[in-house]
Amino acid sequence: MYPDWPATDADLVPLPQCIGPKLEPFDFQGPQQIEFLEYIGEGLHAHVFKIRILGQIYALKLFRFVFSDSWYGPPPYTEFDDAHHEVLSALYNYTEPFSSECRAFGRLQEAGHEDLAVKCFGYMLLSEENEAAMMAQFSKDYFDFNGDMNHAGYGNMRSCYPGKNGRDPPIRGIIKEFGVPDETTPKSFRKTRAPKMLRNIKKMQQLGIIHVDPATRQMINSKWSDFSTAITVPHFLTTPELNPHLTPDEISLMELETFKLSMGDYTEFDEHISTWNEWQEVKLSIRAFHNGEGCQIKYGLRDKAAKRRVYTFVDPRKYDWRQGPVSADSPVRRKLRLKPPVWFYECSSDEQTAKLSDPQKLNPAISWGYKEGFIFPRVGINMWDKSPLTLAHPPSYM
């Protein structure tokens, strides 16, 4: 499942190995020589270091071997064992945090919109020598690569799926530009960066990237830095053509989930602004939705259909992922609209409309299975009452 130790540079292929955007390996121009300068800190999925390579300063994000409930898709309480190896391996390439970040940065690069995020220079697999040097240098800083930040060191997740020769897989990393977090410059965020954050959410969704966890902690030099939760088209959630065996009920369920997660980026932005205002003297008035109150259409309420209509600002499924990448030598890049078409969703009931209009009800509701080479929605948690959800017409191959 995880990338294995490379025998030669030829083994360092673009990742992840699935349909869609990929990230190239970092070019060390020879042996992997890294000078670790400072331990910056940790997040839910990774540790971050300030490093120097060939005289240049970078930020290095080294990913943990996290539990399956830290990524989108696996059924609840999925164990890292032989019984679940097949489904986890299939989902890994699309939604495990390292893969998610590789795909999002790969999309920005291939579409010619790298300016929406910090500069990404590629992924790397940390050598045994550099891992040993890092652990020795920062022995006073307790950090573990097993589990997420909330359960660090709980279980030896790294050893669950060893490589071909039985060794634990290498620690995976992504090398980025080093910069100043926006959290340390609140005045600048207030004046210019909050509106820019909202504009960039719309731009990224036009590029087929959703579920981006908008917050100032994500921003470095006023640009996005973290895509470990991102879902990038084509994806088993957003792209039904990846599985020709899907039923109409399953496709409808996937559309609803995609709508929820797309809309969730804006409701999370509004919630972040509300939290920001609680701690700052000068308040921000910008909101994605009117007064930050949700996404229900406020007009035509005598019309029953209008009452059941909700909206979000971009349909990420419209991104043409089959179009080839922009040439590195070309000034042309994918065109984005200043005001893209609004995505309207017709709810099936007043209850569904009310739930979709409540930001607290927008968590993922589908879990996924894998059989005969295809990923399919299987059993999840009902988004309305948290009860088990089973599809009305399971596919014949389940």
Side-chain angles (χ1 to χ4, degrees), residues 32 72 99 121 187 191 221 267 299 308 388:
Q32 188 184 105
Y72 173 80
S99 296
F121 298 94
K187 186 175 181 180
K191 287 184 176 180
N221 297 343
T267 58
Y299 54 83
R308 293 182 177 177

Side-chain angles (χ1 to χ4, degrees), residues 17-154:
Q17 290 294 288
C18 63
I19 295 174
K22 299 170 177 59
L23 188 63
E24 297 282 345
F26 181 84
D27 183 7
F28 282 92
Q29 301 180 30
Q32 188 184 105
Q33 296 182 345
I34 303 173
E35 182 182 357
F36 286 88
L37 302 176
E38 182 182 352
Y39 177 53
I40 302 300
E42 63 179 339
L44 185 63
H45 303 130
H47 298 279
V48 181
F49 296 82
K50 181 180 180 181
I51 63 170
R52 181 161 38 224
I53 301 175
L54 299 175
Q56 296 294 318
I57 301 297
Y58 300 97
L60 172 60
K61 182 176 181 178
L62 293 178
F63 286 79
R64 306 171 187 265
F65 296 87
V66 297
F67 307 108
S68 62
D69 58 4
S70 290
W71 14 316
Y72 173 80
Y77 312 112
T78 299
E79 297 291 338
F80 276 63
D81 53 24
D82 291 342
H84 297 99
H85 190 187
E86 189 176 53
V87 62
L88 289 175
S89 295
L91 299 178
Y92 169 88
N93 286 320
Y94 288 96
T95 63
E96 194 272 345
F98 170 74
S99 296
S100 293
E101 191 148 304
C102 285
R103 299 185 88 234
F105 275 116
R107 169 57 45 76
L108 295 178
Q109 291 175 358
E110 72 177 21
H113 285 275
E114 290 185 81
D115 57 313
L116 295 179
V118 297
K119 178 72 173 177
C120 177
F121 298 94
Y123 80 87
M124 53 91 69
L125 304 178
L126 192 66
S127 69
E128 289 181 300
E129 294 78 13
N130 280 315
E131 179 181 348
M134 172 193 68
M135 299 300 285
Q137 182 174 345
F138 299 100
S139 59
K140 294 182 180 179
D141 297 290
Y142 174 76
F143 52 85
D144 200 298
F145 285 91
N146 285 302
D148 58 31
M149 181 176 66
N150 297 326
H151 303 91
Y154 182 79

Side-chain angles (χ1 to χ4, degrees), residues 93-311:
N93 286 320
Y94 288 96
T95 63
E96 194 272 345
F98 170 74
S99 296
S100 293
E101 191 148 304
C102 285
R103 299 185 88 234
F105 275 116
R107 169 57 45 76
L108 295 178
Q109 291 175 358
E110 72 177 21
H113 285 275
E114 290 185 81
D115 57 313
L116 295 179
V118 297
K119 178 72 173 177
C120 177
F121 298 94
Y123 80 87
M124 53 91 69
L125 304 178
L126 192 66
S127 69
E128 289 181 300
E129 294 78 13
N130 280 315
E131 179 181 348
M134 172 193 68
M135 299 300 285
Q137 182 174 345
F138 299 100
S139 59
K140 294 182 180 179
D141 297 290
Y142 174 76
F143 52 85
D144 200 298
F145 285 91
N146 285 302
D148 58 31
M149 181 176 66
N150 297 326
H151 303 91
Y154 182 79
N156 191 355
M157 304 301 297
R158 186 177 181 181
S159 298
C160 288
Y161 295 132
K164 294 179 181 178
N165 59 4
R167 297 164 64 193
D168 288 352
I171 295 174
R172 304 148 299 157
I174 293 180
I175 298 174
K176 313 173 191 180
E177 70 172 285
F178 185 82
V180 178
D182 283 16
E183 285 185 312
T184 63
T185 55
K187 186 175 181 180
S188 178
F189 176 77
R190 181 174 67 243
K191 287 184 176 180
T192 61
R193 296 183 181 180
K196 183 177 181 179
M197 179 188 289
L198 180 56
R199 291 194 301 270
N200 286 352
I201 293 173
K202 295 179 181 180
K203 290 179 180 180
M204 286 189 288
Q205 290 199 350
Q206 289 185 73
L207 294 170
I209 305 171
I210 62 173
H211 206 221
V212 294
D213 190 20
T216 51
R217 67 178 182 277
Q218 309 285 49
M219 310 303 287
I220 301 292
N221 297 343
S222 192
K223 297 180 179 181
W224 236 268
S225 67
D226 184 353
F227 292 103
S228 59
T229 65
I231 291 174
T232 303
V233 174
H235 191 278
F236 57 80
L237 167 64
T238 63
T239 316
E241 51 263 47
L242 296 181
N243 184 350
H245 302 287
L246 293 170
T247 67
D249 285 344
E250 291 172 322
I251 293 174
S252 295
L253 191 64
M254 292 160 59
E255 179 185 24
L256 173 59
E257 182 100 325
T258 302
F259 181 87
K260 286 180 2 183
L261 297 184
S262 301
M263 183 173 64
D265 285 339
Y266 301 104
T267 58
E268 287 184 26
F269 173 83
D270 286 347
E271 289 175 0
H272 180 67
I273 296 300
S274 296
T275 302
W276 176 271
N277 286 340
E278 292 177 4
W279 294 93
Q280 301 295 327
E281 292 184 6
V282 179
K283 311 302 181 184
L284 292 171
S285 60
I286 185 171
R287 295 291 191 280
F289 294 112
H290 181 66
N291 292 329
E293 294 179 350
C295 62
Q296 188 173 359
I297 300 299
K298 300 298 183 183
Y299 54 83
L301 295 183
R302 293 183 179 179
D303 183 350
K304 187 174 183 179
K307 285 184 179 181
R308 293 182 177 177
R309 181 180 297 166
V310 292
Y311 73 95

